[in-house]
């Protein structure tokens, strides 16, 4: 199901199904990207008389948020537990019912049931909540409490500037986080139970903005407005708005230095904030769905950890000769690496990916970004990350890896593991079976294409059992930092481009020679990488000389 289809289906009937009878208690969920005024909104609602659920709040930060975050540490703990299993945002479809988060859903349910046993209103703010809006909705429905979803929107350039000032965060990743959490807050909230507030409204007219929220959700409003205004004046300090550019929407619209999808999202959100009828419309939901699909096609789901630090050495072995791969595993074990068995979930993920690839359900070139397989990607991520953190030196093992080499290499880059790969390949020139030879060659080409830029050691199946081959493997695994040629130019070396139509014999001879050179001298891997990159599509589409001859005859 596409986001467009999903959002069109979010209608009044969905609201009625989710909440069987009209709730009398409400949980006010403060949503939107961090650094958008969410802390100020939370405290302002609290000054209005709404509980934050506990006195156990996240401590203020003198440099980053001196007035306080007003985040409930009991809820943060639950969100962090969820985040240790759900590594991507958006999460997989139906994640809130997955068995892996059952304990966390129970913990959230119990917390809310305990609170609402004696209270009618709760305000909760934690930036992670944007990732779990649907979970909150289902849990609140279970206990018959209504969500009141308050979404904050701020100029993304100001959000990125604030992130950079506060945490020195990479600006590209900070912008992606703004984009994803803004999309989720607008995609997953329910049209009947939400309101969209701009950063400017909150800071320029805090009392009027709060009254509009209270009216929208029928929240308790203090009899003494002057007293509330005095509290707000004392709390909101304009001097702390150090990243506020004050840029008008019209000035933002004329910018040429903002990506079109970022620009479109912010302008659309501002239009919706100014027009509640449009904000509640299916037209708005459809446009958010389209922007979400466009984001996912370009970038895929956003990995949770911005700055992963994993020091353990991970070795991944690729190939399809069972005897040779078993020998490699045995040698890795003798070198002191833990060869961890892959759990059933890992194997099932590989089988699902392989089946989808074989059936053409997902595109081999882009499937690591495909939201339809994010659940399988998450299984691989959790397996790789947890073992890499736990083991100083370990090996993933073999056999089930090759079908999902693009996914494995993508996850390796995301988790930041210190990974080196061993590629065991056939001596294609010695293989008399033309069909077998072509299948094996394409498997190696695909693996090398996915590994481009990462350290790898090439070994023929025959070399695995030789003293020289074993010495190569030992040196590669034990090297403190594998030698790797540096690509000094982005200009392709056209001398490496094969001429069309491809001759299978020429491809076999050329690739065999380049692999042999790269196996003996890691400095030659850059040449091999460029050859693979230049000719990848043509080699993967190659039918072979036997097929070409049949056409000629």
């Amino acid at each position: 199901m596409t986001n467009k289809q999903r959002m069109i289906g979010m209608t009044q009937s969905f609201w009625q199904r989710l909440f069987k009878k009209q709730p009398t208690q409400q949980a006010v969920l403060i949503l939107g990207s961090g650094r958008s005024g969410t802390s100020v909104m939370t405290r302002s609602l609290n000054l209005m008389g709404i509980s934050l659920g506990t006195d156990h709040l996240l401590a203020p930060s003198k440099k980053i948020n001196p007035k306080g975050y007003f985040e409930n540490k009991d809820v943060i703990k639950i969100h962090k537990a969820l985040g240790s299993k759900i590594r991507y945002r958006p999460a997989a479809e139906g994640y809130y019912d997955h068995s892996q988060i059952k304990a966390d859903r129970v913990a959230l349910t119990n917390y809310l049931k305990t609170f609402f046993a004696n209270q009618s209103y709760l305000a909760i703010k934690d930036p992670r909540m944007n990732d779990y809006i649907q979970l909150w909705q289902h849990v609140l429905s279970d206990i018959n409490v209504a969500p009141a979803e308050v979404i904050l929107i701020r100029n993304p350039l100001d959000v990125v500037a604030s992130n950079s000032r506060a945490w020195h965060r990479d600006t590209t990743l900070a912008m992606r986080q703004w984009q994803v959490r803004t999309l989720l807050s607008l995609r997953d909230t329910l049209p009947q139970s939400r309101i969209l507030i701009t950063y400017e409204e909150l800071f320029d007219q805090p009392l009027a903005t709060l009254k509009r929220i209270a009216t929208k959700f029928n929240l308790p409003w203090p009899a003494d407005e002057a007293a509330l205004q005095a509290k707000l004046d004392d709390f909101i300090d304009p001097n702390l708005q150090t990243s506020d550019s004050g840029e008008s929407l019209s000035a933002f619209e004329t910018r040429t230095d903002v990506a079109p999808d970022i620009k479109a999202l912010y302008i659309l959100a501002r239009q919706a904030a100014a027009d509640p009828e449009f904000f509640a419309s299916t037209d708005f939901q459809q446009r958010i769905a389209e922007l979400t699909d466009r984001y996912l096609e370009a970038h895929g789901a956003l990995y949770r950890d911005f700055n992963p630090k994993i020091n353990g050495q991970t070795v991944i072995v690729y190939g399809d000769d069972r005897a040779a791969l078993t020998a490699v595993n045995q040698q890795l074990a003798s070198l002191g690496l833990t060869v961890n068995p892959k759990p059933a979930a890992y194997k099932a993920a590989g089988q699902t990916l392989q089946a989808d690839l074989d059936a053409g359900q997902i595109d081999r070139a882009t499937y690591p970004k495909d939201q339809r397989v994010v659940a399988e990607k998450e299984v691989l991520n959790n397996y790789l990350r947890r073992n890499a953190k736990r083991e100083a030196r370990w090996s993933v093992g073999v056999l089930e890896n090759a079908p999902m080499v693009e996914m494995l290499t993508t996850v390796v880059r995301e988790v930041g593991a210190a990974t080196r790969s061993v590629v065991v390949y056939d001596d294609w020139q010695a293989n008399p079976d033309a069909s077998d030879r072509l299948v094996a060659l394409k498997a190696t080409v695909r693996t090398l294409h996915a590994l481009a830029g990462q350290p790898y050691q090439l070994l023929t199946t025959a070399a695995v059992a030789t003293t020289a081959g074993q010495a190569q493997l030992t040196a590669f695994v034990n090297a403190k930092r594998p030698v790797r040629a540096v690509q000094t130019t982005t200009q392709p070396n056209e001398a490496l481009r094969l001429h069309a139509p491809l001759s299978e014999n020429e491809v076999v001879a050329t690739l065999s020679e380049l692999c042999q050179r790269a196996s003996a001298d890691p400095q030659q891997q850059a040449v091999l990488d460029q050859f693979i990159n230049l000719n990848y599509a043509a080699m993967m589409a190659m039918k072979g000389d036997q097929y070409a001859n049949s056409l000629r005859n």
Side-chain angles (χ1 to χ4, degrees):
M1 180 184 292
T2 66
N3 275 302
K4 182 176 178 181
Q5 292 168 324
R6 180 181 175 280
M7 296 313 301
I8 292 174
M10 189 178 281
T11 61
Q12 181 70 28
S13 62
F14 175 76
W15 166 262
Q16 290 169 345
R17 289 196 306 272
L18 194 58
F19 294 94
K20 306 286 191 303
K21 58 181 180 178
Q22 185 61 42
T24 57
Q25 297 171 302
Q26 293 187 78
V28 184
L29 312 182
I30 295 90
L31 304 166
S33 174
R35 318 305 293 177
S36 295
T38 52
S39 298
V40 170
M41 175 60 77
T42 306
R43 177 55 174 160
S44 297
L45 289 166
N46 182 228
L47 292 174
M48 206 173 83
I50 298 178
S51 171
L52 301 183
T54 182
D55 293 327
H56 194 46
L57 299 174
L58 191 66
S61 168
K62 289 183 180 180
K63 292 184 178 180
I64 300 173
N65 220 344
K67 292 280 188 172
Y69 294 93
F70 306 101
E71 293 177 11
N72 184 318
K73 291 176 76 172
D74 298 320
V75 171
I76 289 175
K77 183 179 178 181
I78 296 170
H79 283 166
K80 284 186 173 181
L82 286 163
S84 69
K85 298 150 195 162
I86 299 176
R87 307 303 298 174
Y88 295 95
R89 44 203 166 160
E93 189 75 20
Y95 73 92
Y96 43 82
D97 283 330
H98 289 181
S99 59
Q100 66 170 340
I101 70 157
K102 182 178 180 180
D104 306 309
R105 178 166 176 165
V106 169
L108 180 58
T109 301
N110 289 341
Y111 173 80
L112 292 173
K113 284 175 69 175
T114 300
F115 175 84
F116 282 107
N118 300 300
Q119 301 274 356
S120 294
Y121 302 98
L122 169 69
I124 290 289
K125 171 251 177 178
D126 176 14
R128 302 170 187 86
M129 194 183 324
N130 294 277
D131 308 338
Y132 311 121
I133 294 170
Q134 292 174 300
L135 172 63
W136 274 83
Q137 290 168 347
H138 280 78
V139 169
L140 290 172
S141 174
D142 291 342
I143 62 173
N144 199 39
V145 172
E149 297 159 328
V150 179
I151 307 166
L152 276 294
I153 186 72
R154 185 185 185 187
N155 185 323
L157 297 175
D158 290 351
V159 171
V160 169
S162 184
N163 269 292
S164 180
R165 180 183 62 82
W167 294 293
H168 309 290
R169 184 163 287 163
D170 176 88
T171 55
T172 300
L173 290 174
M175 185 63 84
R176 293 260 179 90
Q177 179 167 275
W178 175 88
Q179 190 175 7
V180 168
R181 284 186 165 159
T182 300
L183 285 168
L184 291 176
S185 69
L186 298 173
R187 186 194 77 170
D188 291 342
T189 48
L190 301 169
Q192 300 85 353
S193 65
R194 66 185 181 187
I195 191 169
L196 184 55
I197 304 295
T198 68
Y199 181 87
E200 291 77 11
E201 287 175 318
L202 174 61
F203 282 92
D204 294 346
Q205 306 171 52
L207 186 68
T209 299
L210 286 177
K211 191 163 189 177
R212 186 154 64 92
I213 294 169
T215 303
K216 163 78 176 178
F217 298 119
N218 196 28
L219 298 173
W221 184 254
D224 190 345
E225 288 189 6
L228 176 57
Q229 181 68 69
K231 292 177 182 178
L232 292 171
D233 290 341
D234 183 59
F235 168 63
I236 298 175
D237 184 354
N239 294 322
L240 296 178
Q241 296 175 254
T242 53
S243 299
D244 184 14
S245 64
E247 181 179 46
S248 67
L249 180 59
S250 58
F252 181 86
E253 290 175 333
T254 64
R255 278 186 171 273
T256 58
D257 60 342
V258 179
D261 54 344
I262 298 284
K263 196 172 185 178
L265 177 57
Y266 181 59
I267 292 172
L268 181 65
R270 286 294 300 267
Q271 180 187 350
D275 184 351
E277 187 174 338
F278 172 62
F279 185 40
S281 70
T282 55
D283 178 32
F284 174 79
Q285 289 304 138
Q286 181 173 332
R287 290 168 70 178
I288 287 297
E290 289 167 353
L291 286 172
T292 304
D293 285 338
R294 194 185 308 170
Y295 172 88
L296 291 172
E297 287 169 10
H299 307 294
L302 182 65
Y303 181 51
R304 179 167 302 283
D305 294 338
F306 281 140
N307 301 301
K309 295 179 181 178
I310 298 177
N311 297 320
Q313 183 195 105
T314 300
V315 176
I316 305 179
V317 186
Y318 298 96
D320 57 12
D321 185 291
R322 182 177 293 271
L325 298 176
T326 299
V328 169
N329 260 2
Q330 290 171 345
Q331 185 177 347
L332 292 174
S334 73
L335 294 173
L337 276 77
T338 301
V339 182
N340 280 342
K342 291 180 283 294
Y346 177 102
K347 295 178 181 179
Q351 291 166 355
T352 298
L353 290 172
Q354 184 62 59
D356 287 346
L357 287 166
D358 290 344
Q361 297 295 318
I362 51 179
D363 187 339
R364 181 163 285 158
T366 60
Y367 78 94
K369 294 180 180 179
D370 197 317
Q371 189 65 15
R372 289 174 296 179
V373 297
V374 73
E376 287 74 31
K377 186 178 184 182
E378 204 156 62
V379 169
L380 304 183
N381 182 304
N382 283 325
Y383 174 72
L384 286 170
R385 178 175 41 82
R386 288 170 182 170
N387 281 289
K389 284 185 173 182
R390 184 171 58 235
E391 304 285 356
R393 302 174 81 216
W394 77 292
S395 172
V396 175
V398 292
L399 299 181
E400 295 90 357
N401 299 329
M404 51 191 180
V405 57
E406 295 89 356
M407 187 69 90
L408 275 172
T409 51
T410 297
V411 171
V412 160
R413 292 186 182 99
E414 288 175 338
V415 302
T419 304
R420 53 193 75 179
S421 300
V422 178
V423 181
V424 181
Y425 69 101
D426 290 341
D427 180 355
W428 305 297
Q429 292 172 309
N431 190 338
D433 188 316
S435 178
D436 252 10
R437 179 173 62 242
L438 190 58
V439 169
L441 183 143
K442 287 185 178 182
T444 302
V445 166
R446 183 182 163 199
T447 299
L448 294 175
H449 184 258
L451 288 172
Q454 297 183 29
Y456 60 81
Q457 176 65 52
L458 281 155
L459 291 171
T460 63
T461 53
V464 167
T466 67
T467 302
Q470 291 168 358
Q472 279 184 305
L473 179 59
T474 299
F476 174 72
V477 171
N478 286 340
K480 289 186 178 179
R481 184 174 297 175
V483 177
R484 177 92 187 144
V486 177
Q487 188 69 45
T488 57
T489 177
T490 57
Q491 293 299 317
N493 181 356
E494 290 298 326
L496 294 171
R497 192 183 296 276
L498 295 166
H499 300 291
L502 295 191
S503 161
E504 182 186 347
N505 288 332
E506 180 187 2
V507 172
V508 166
T510 305
L511 187 60
S512 294
E513 182 180 350
L514 291 174
C515 284
Q516 287 169 8
R517 291 180 184 177
S519 174
D521 180 7
Q523 297 288 348
Q524 293 295 314
Q525 287 183 12
V527 178
L528 175 59
D529 287 350
Q530 192 166 125
F531 171 81
I532 295 289
N533 187 56
L534 279 170
N535 301 290
Y536 180 71
M539 288 190 291
M540 292 303 289
M542 187 170 59
K543 300 288 187 179
D545 288 345
Q546 196 175 43
Y547 176 80
N549 290 336
S550 71
L551 291 180
R552 293 189 192 100
N553 296 330

